[in-house]
């Protein structure tokens, strides 16, 4: 059974800082690993999707990596901005299944 | 593209009443829709998987008679919370997937339910 853990639960940084959010998963037979952003009281916005054949994906200031052997994924945010403040969720599929298993998220606050 | 809407965005109801939440894919046909529940400061938990024209598949511990799911068309799925109780108060989010297989899911904005 897939379990997804995110560390830290909360992170507060000054504007402009580069930061890394961590995600670990237990089932290495993962096919997709996704990072989402959730603003307070809102739904989810997909940020990056990494398939098992890929090691990383980039979109603007965001870079996500996937290491299946170690069961880890990281989301790197460069030059953080106050608008990046949100909860970031990591989700992996349960190997062989279409279902997504979510971590509890990392609440990021970027201070001006 | 790939927009998913939910209606209503929030609802307050009395205990014992039923509440229907709609999930629509606005610009694509969704073969599969998923329903999630999120409690405060918790992660999303999958409740059920809904395929158009067939019965939903519920996750362990989710009462299918309490959470009725109907996926009548390729653009609409509904979740009805029957005989709602205060413990059903939560944030309900749906997602939709375009094709079978390992395509990404597109998420709706969520519906906040408060049962008094």
């Amino acid at each position: 059974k897939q379990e997804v853990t995110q560390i830290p639960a909360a992170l507060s940084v000054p504007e402009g800082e580069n930061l890394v959010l961590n995600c670990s998963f237990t089932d290495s037979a993962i096919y997709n690993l996704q990072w989402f952003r959730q603003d307070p009281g809102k739904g989810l916005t997909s940020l990056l999707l990494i398939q098992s054949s890929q090691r990383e994906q980039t979109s603007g200031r965001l870079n996500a990596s996937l290491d299946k052997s170690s069961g880890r994924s990281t989301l790197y945010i460069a030059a953080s901005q106050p608008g990046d403040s949100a909860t970031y969720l990591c989700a992996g599929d349960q190997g062989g299944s279409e279902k997504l298993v979510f971590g509890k998220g990392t609440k990021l606050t970027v201070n001006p | 593209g790939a927009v998913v809407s939910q209606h209503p965005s929030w609802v307050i109801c009395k205990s014992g009443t039923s509440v229907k939440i709609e999930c629509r894919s606005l610009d694509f046909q969704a073969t599969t829709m998923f329903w999630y529940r999120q409690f405060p400061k918790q992660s999303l938990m999958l409740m059920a998987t809904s395929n158009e024209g067939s019965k939903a598949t519920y996750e362990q511990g989710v009462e299918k008679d309490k959470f009725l799911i109907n996926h009548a068309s390729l653009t609409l799925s509904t979740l009805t919370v029957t005989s709602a109780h205060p413990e059903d108060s939560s944030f309900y989010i749906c997602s939709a997937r375009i094709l079978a297989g390992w395509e990404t899911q597109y998420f709706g904005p969520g519906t906040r339910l408060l049962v008094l």
Side-chain angles (χ1 to χ4, degrees):
Chain A
K1 179 182 177 183
Q2 183 70 276
E3 294 181 5
V4 179
T5 304
Q6 290 186 249
I7 295 173
L11 181 64
S12 181
V13 300
E15 182 177 4
E17 190 163 299
N18 302 325
L19 58 100
V20 175
L21 306 181
N22 296 294
C23 171
S24 61
F25 49 91
T26 55
D27 186 354
S28 62
I30 196 169
Y31 196 88
N32 280 345
L33 191 290
Q34 279 188 266
W35 283 92
F36 296 87
R37 169 183 172 140
Q38 185 176 30
D39 291 286
K42 304 293 184 181
L44 274 64
T45 300
S46 180
L47 298 173
L48 290 165
L49 167 70
I50 311 175
Q51 295 183 341
S52 62
S53 59
Q54 302 169 326
R55 293 186 65 87
E56 66 177 314
Q57 284 285 333
T58 298
S59 176
R61 294 182 293 109
L62 305 179
N63 176 277
S65 67
L66 174 64
D67 184 344
K68 290 181 61 179
S69 62
S70 66
R72 294 181 181 178
S73 176
T74 60
L75 178 66
Y76 175 82
I77 302 177
S80 58
Q81 303 171 357
D84 295 331
S85 298
T87 295
Y88 290 81
L89 297 168
C90 164
D93 58 82
Q94 198 152 293
S97 165
E98 60 188 355
K99 303 174 185 178
L100 283 179
V101 178
F102 284 82
K104 291 187 177 181
T106 293
K107 184 177 181 181
L108 173 65
T109 302
V110 181
N111 302 300
Chain B
V3 177
V4 176
S5 69
Q6 280 185 241
H7 179 79
S9 56
W10 60 271
V11 58
I12 302 174
C13 69
K14 293 182 179 180
S15 184
T17 61
S18 294
V19 175
K20 179 184 285 188
I21 302 170
E22 293 185 347
C23 176
R24 292 181 185 273
S25 56
L26 299 184
D27 50 2
F28 66 97
Q29 293 185 324
T31 56
T32 305
M33 289 184 171
F34 303 86
W35 287 95
Y36 297 83
R37 180 168 54 184
Q38 185 179 34
F39 291 107
K41 297 186 179 181
Q42 297 295 314
S43 190
L44 278 73
M45 297 296 293
L46 179 65
M47 299 176 65
T49 303
S50 169
N51 291 294
E52 185 266 339
S54 63
K55 291 184 178 180
T57 302
Y58 291 81
E59 294 300 299
Q60 190 173 7
V62 178
E63 301 176 58
K64 61 180 181 180
D65 294 330
K66 181 170 184 61
F67 299 99
L68 301 179
I69 293 173
N70 183 280
H71 194 159
S73 76
L74 286 172
T75 59
L76 174 64
S77 176
T78 60
L79 168 67
T80 301
V81 183
T82 61
S83 186
H85 291 283
E87 57 266 30
D88 298 324
S89 298
S90 187
F91 193 52
Y92 293 86
I93 303 178
C94 74
S95 70
R97 194 177 64 197
I98 298 175
L99 299 172
W102 307 107
E103 297 293 325
T104 190
Q105 297 178 26
Y106 298 94
F107 285 78
T111 296
R112 187 162 301 282
L113 170 64
L114 177 61
V115 184
L116 302 176

